[in-house]
Amino acid sequence: MDQGVAVTNISTEVRSGRGARQVNTLPLLLPAVILLLLWSILPLLRTIFYSFENYNLMTPPAVFNGGLNYRYLFTDISTWVAIKNSVVLVLGVLAASIVFGTLIALLLNNDFPGRNIARLLAIAPFFVMSPVAALIWKNLLLDPVSGLFGWFMTLLGLHPIAWFSTAPMLSVVIIYSWRWIPFATLILLTALQSLDTDQLEAARMDGAKGLARLRYIVLPHLLRPISIVIMLESIFLLSAFAVIYTTTNGGPGDATTTLTYLIFIKALNDFSIGSASAAGVFAIVLANVLAMFLIRAVSRNLQA
Amino acid sequence: MAKLILQNVEKRYETFHAIKGIDLSIDDREFVVFVGPSGCGKTTLLRMIAGLEDITGGDFSIDGVRANDIPPDKRGLAMVFQTYALYPHMTVAENMGFALKMAKVPRDEIKAKVAHAAAMLQLDKVLDRRPKALSGGQRQRVAIGRAIVRNPKGFLFDEPLSNLDAALRVQMRTELVKLNKQLQTTMIYVTHDQIEAMTMADRIVVLHAGIVEQVGSPLELYNNPANLFVAGFIGSPKMNLLEGVVTARDDQHVEVKLDDAGNVIVMGDRIAVAPGTRVTVGMRPEHTALVSDGPIGGVADFVEHLGNETLVYVKRPDGQQMIVKADDLAGVRMGDAVTMAPKGDRSVLFGPDGKALLRREFHLH
Ligand SMILES: Nc1ncnc2c1ncn2[C@@H]1O[C@H](COP(=O)(O)OP(=O)(O)OP(=O)(O)O)[C@@H](O)[C@H]1O
Ligand SMILES: [Mg+2]
């Protein structure tokens, strides 16, 4: 009964919305939806359940303890540090991806010999797995003794920096940026190639050159793909883990402990499944709130 | 104010010679239409005039100043693209005012000019909308408005009406001609539709494979096609072209024995052709009549009743098709054997090289 009503509602909406065909889509969607529910909702429910228990792997059994896990979570200063770290990481990498991604895409969109190889190389870091990327950076590039950066600095007569202890967050941001700038480049380059050549020529006739052309024609065209980059990268970066685990282990101190990493510490260092679950639920809520805003912004952009 | 002169203008792409030396002079305030089959180089030529495409040979001048190397925004010409090429993220007003903004014109002045052009094109109500929220005809007008606002010396149109429906196209056709009179500027209009060319042009330039076949007023082209290509291209339905041999001539007439048909007479003043020459006689469907005992025979293959006229497609013994414009009372049915006769004073004679053998003096207008 309920289903019947829902279906008619959908179809009238569709009809009034865009005069499209009238198809009962529910049976077609159902298998996928059920699978998705099993896949994501069950673990979620389980996590929520654990988050209300005092459940430590070292001291079983688990007992219900009301909202205690949440109270500890919100009164613990390290939670707020972790949130701050997450925000810094996401915003830092986003800023780098958009700025450098746009610049590189603009460069690669020009015609020059060897363009295809340059494109391939520019995109390549994205296909390197995070732990591998992290190891390359840690041992071959940023290492003060054997790293390339250190060598350069000695060449210039400077003291090599121990990156992961002096600027741990910056180092992590750099490594993640190295991986995600290519992603932004890829999307923005595709977008640039879809920019209507007639529009560019019209702009040429209208006298828009160089920066004016960039500002009034090209960047507005890139707004939509940029918002897509923001959305996708935020979602991935919020759950970023591998690089931190491989390089800094969340340290020194809590300097690079993001919310994701905090959950990991609680669960697998402290074996406190209950409080890890509470932090996990909180992270889910945060991510969803963020996703809601982002998706709304993006879809507004898509309509415009 | 723009007099455009092209002297032996050429365009060579790496692998293709698209424009093969064109001489053309376009007067101030003239409405010139470039017409020709697909791929003949119309767009290329227009883009060379606009400055969007390099001129690889010859000279192009605007008002006496060599313009080959002047950048597009400095030529004082505005272009309306076939796809309109409106900026999707700008409102109609911003689209129209963009060129002025780039030229650092004060904001009030831009606003006034945009408002003026918008009023002229009935766009005042949609100035705040984005192009997406406009109808095809409105987008078309915004594209024209964007050109008008710049107050250019000349307008360049590349098939601007081809994305509109038939009724709107007819309406925009007359509006563009009116605009030409109103703005008193030169306009060059590219189309492959010869009806558009005939109805709009002061002068038509017929292009074919990168060369100019003929330049002239619509009626000149219609009555005096310079060669077989123009004869076949201008006029709808197409001119009938039958081959034959000259049998006799005097100062006023040429008699031609058509292949697989009888003799027809082409009238004209002192046509220079000797008996025995192979020629082609061009007879327009509207200047050919169904008569009994006419010199040209055939079988009515297909009859089209359009109401105001009836087109009879006749299959000739040699398999060629001829078209005759008859009236609806002709009473011809499919399968009937018919004979036809051309009007001798409207027929055109082409020599063995495909060039017209006479230039008839017509009193036009
Ligand atoms: N960049 C290019 N390189 C090589 N050949 C080209 C190039 N651009 C156009 N051409 C060729 O030049 C010729 C003229 O092209 P153009 O676009 O001017 O044709 P057109 O008359 O406008 O045809 P249509 O009516 O189909 O628009 C075509 O044969 C085309 O293939
Ligand atoms: Mg074209």
Side-chain angles (χ1 to χ4, degrees):
Chain A
M1 197 53 214
D2 266 2
Q3 274 177 21
V5 173
V7 169
T8 18
N9 275 345
I10 288 170
S11 49
T12 42
E13 238 178 66
V14 165
R15 203 176 333 145
S16 61
R18 33 190 62 173
R21 63 217 178 276
Q22 196 176 350
V23 178
N24 185 352
T25 51
L26 199 66
L28 300 174
L29 290 173
L30 219 49
V33 171
I34 287 175
L35 208 67
L36 194 71
L37 286 181
L38 288 176
W39 200 266
S40 66
I41 300 290
L42 282 187
L44 176 66
L45 289 178
R46 200 68 197 165
T47 309
I48 293 174
F49 180 75
Y50 286 145
S51 74
F52 288 101
E53 283 185 335
N54 183 358
Y55 178 17
N56 194 305
L57 292 176
M58 306 299 277
T59 56
V63 280
F64 180 77
N65 71 349
L68 213 57
N69 287 334
Y70 287 98
R71 240 186 79 196
Y72 288 149
L73 180 70
F74 292 123
T75 48
D76 186 355
I77 182 79
S78 60
T79 308
W80 303 105
V81 173
I83 290 175
K84 190 209 82 189
N85 285 338
S86 286
V87 169
V88 170
L89 176 66
V90 171
L91 290 186
V93 178
L94 276 182
S97 317
I98 289 163
V99 172
F100 291 106
T102 308
L103 287 177
I104 297 173
L106 285 171
L107 278 180
L108 290 178
N109 195 37
N110 291 320
D111 240 334
F112 57 88
R115 174 168 80 156
N116 286 334
I117 292 174
R119 281 185 184 175
L120 192 68
L121 288 178
I123 312 294
F126 187 56
F127 299 108
V128 178
M129 284 170 286
S130 303
V132 178
L135 284 174
I136 293 173
W137 277 88
K138 184 181 175 184
N139 297 324
L140 298 181
L141 298 173
L142 296 182
D143 191 279
V145 179
S146 58
L148 190 69
F149 284 34
W151 182 69
F152 270 127
M153 294 186 83
T154 11
L155 270 193
L156 295 174
L158 301 170
H159 258 296
I161 300 176
W163 284 86
F164 290 109
S165 43
T166 32
M169 193 39 126
L170 179 64
S171 308
V172 171
V173 167
I174 288 176
I175 297 173
Y176 271 115
S177 301
W178 181 78
R179 261 206 98 220
W180 285 98
I181 287 171
F183 175 75
T185 305
L186 186 66
I187 290 194
L188 296 178
L189 183 60
T190 326
L192 279 179
Q193 285 173 339
S194 74
L195 179 52
D196 185 15
T197 49
D198 273 1
Q199 244 181 68
L200 288 175
E201 292 189 331
R204 224 172 121 196
M205 303 248 5
D206 280 345
K209 285 186 250 266
L211 281 182
R213 188 174 93 140
L214 187 67
R215 166 154 178 225
Y216 293 109
I217 311 291
V218 179
L219 285 185
H221 175 77
L222 288 184
L223 218 56
R224 186 186 302 192
I226 284 178
S227 60
I228 288 172
V229 167
I230 293 180
M231 187 170 90
L232 291 178
E233 289 199 1
S234 313
I235 290 168
F236 281 108
L237 289 168
L238 271 180
S239 57
F241 174 79
V243 169
I244 301 172
Y245 180 72
T246 322
T247 56
T248 62
N249 275 313
D254 53 9
T256 53
T257 304
T258 60
L259 199 52
T260 315
Y261 205 82
L262 184 70
I263 295 168
F264 164 76
I265 292 176
K266 282 180 192 286
L268 294 168
N269 283 2
D270 306 347
F271 301 111
S272 171
I273 302 296
S275 60
S277 296
V281 171
F282 177 56
I284 290 168
V285 173
L286 268 189
N288 274 287
V289 171
L290 186 72
M292 204 176 71
F293 280 115
L294 286 171
I295 287 173
R296 203 174 284 175
V298 170
S299 63
R300 192 170 328 124
N301 245 325
L302 290 180
Q303 276 159 17
Chain B
M1 288 293 288
K3 183 174 169 68
L4 310 178
I5 296 177
L6 289 83
Q7 283 169 317
N8 198 24
V9 161
E10 283 197 46
K11 177 74 195 184
R12 279 176 199 273
Y13 291 110
E14 271 155 40
T15 53
F16 189 73
H17 199 178
I19 300 288
K20 300 169 186 155
I22 283 185
D23 290 302
L24 186 65
S25 162
I26 296 167
D27 282 331
D28 188 26
R29 293 180 220 172
E30 209 175 6
F31 198 117
V32 172
V33 174
F34 293 171
V35 68
S38 189
C40 68
K42 307 178 293 285
T43 300
T44 306
L45 188 59
L46 193 76
R47 287 167 53 84
M48 285 159 78
I49 292 173
L52 294 172
E53 203 85 63
D54 290 335
I55 297 172
T56 56
D59 286 307
F60 167 54
S61 71
I62 302 174
D63 290 332
V65 180
R66 190 179 134 99
N68 285 40
D69 303 316
I70 300 180
D73 57 311
K74 299 282 186 296
R75 293 192 182 191
L77 303 173
M79 180 143 166
V80 176
F81 292 80
Q82 177 173 358
T83 56
Y84 314 146
L86 302 178
Y87 311 123
H89 48 274
M90 296 184 201
T91 63
V92 168
E94 286 166 344
N95 260 287
M96 288 169 68
F98 186 63
L100 298 183
K101 186 170 170 182
M102 288 300 103
K104 306 242 166 18
V105 173
R107 201 172 284 183
D108 298 341
E109 202 179 323
I110 296 180
K111 214 170 161 200
K113 284 189 171 163
V114 167
H116 178 71
M120 197 149 75
L121 296 165
Q122 286 136 44
L123 288 170
D124 358 26
K125 298 223 167 43
V126 299
L127 277 177
D128 292 326
R129 290 203 207 156
R130 298 267 168 97
K132 217 174 186 180
L134 299 178
S135 72
Q138 286 170 328
R139 280 179 213 176
Q140 169 66 66
R141 288 206 294 270
V142 175
I144 295 172
R146 191 167 65 177
I148 291 178
V149 166
R150 289 179 54 189
N151 193 19
K153 293 189 219 167
F155 288 85
L156 310 173
F157 296 95
D158 190 2
E159 310 209 23
L161 306 186
S162 54
N163 292 342
L164 301 180
D165 68 54
L168 202 53
R169 211 178 305 164
V170 172
Q171 184 196 335
M172 286 305 294
R173 227 150 68 187
T174 48
E175 281 183 23
L176 279 177
V177 174
K178 271 193 226 153
L179 202 65
N180 174 240
K181 303 285 170 274
Q182 198 179 342
L183 296 173
Q184 307 245 323
T185 48
T186 313
M187 289 191 178
I188 304 180
Y189 185 101
V190 162
T191 178
H192 59 259
D193 178 353
Q194 52 107 2
I195 297 189
E196 266 178 25
M198 295 293 283
T199 50
M200 299 172 80
D202 291 329
R203 251 177 351 137
I204 297 178
V205 177
V206 182
L207 290 172
H208 178 213
I211 58 160
V212 173
E213 291 281 359
Q214 190 175 1
V215 181
S217 73
L219 286 182
E220 254 172 80
L221 262 56
Y222 176 82
N223 288 314
N224 267 331
N227 51 47
L228 286 171
F229 177 80
V230 178
F233 193 77
I234 298 288
S236 170
K238 273 189 162 141
M239 183 183 256
N240 300 304
L241 298 166
L242 298 189
E243 292 183 24
V245 178
V246 175
T247 54
R249 78 168 282 278
D250 61 27
D251 278 356
Q252 301 303 321
H253 311 86
V254 175
E255 191 175 306
V256 179
K257 161 76 176 75
L258 296 173
D259 301 347
D260 291 313
N263 290 7
V264 295
I265 290 183
V266 179
M267 286 190 255
D269 205 27
R270 283 185 279 273
I271 299 177
V273 62
T277 315
R278 269 202 82 73
V279 291
T280 305
V281 182
M283 298 157 275
R284 294 216 177 266
E286 50 274 35
H287 301 146
T288 308
L290 294 173
V291 293
S292 47
D293 288 337
I296 308 167
V299 177
D301 206 20
F302 191 70
V303 181
E304 264 180 2
H305 294 285
L306 302 178
N308 58 339
E309 64 196 24
T310 297
L311 298 179
V312 184
Y313 295 78
V314 179
K315 191 157 193 181
R316 304 245 306 118
D318 60 1
Q320 246 185 311
Q321 191 181 56
M322 265 189 85
I323 306 174
V324 179
K325 222 178 241 186
D327 67 40
D328 53 339
L329 303 174
V332 182
R333 275 175 304 188
M334 264 159 33
D336 288 355
V338 294
T339 62
M340 297 156 287
K343 284 189 191 162
D345 58 341
R346 304 301 301 262
S347 302
V348 197
L349 209 56
F350 300 94
D353 59 354
K355 297 227 165 67
L357 284 173
L358 102 151
R359 306 290 295 160
R360 214 188 284 271
E361 292 301 323
F362 274 93
H363 290 287
L364 306 170
H365 315 304

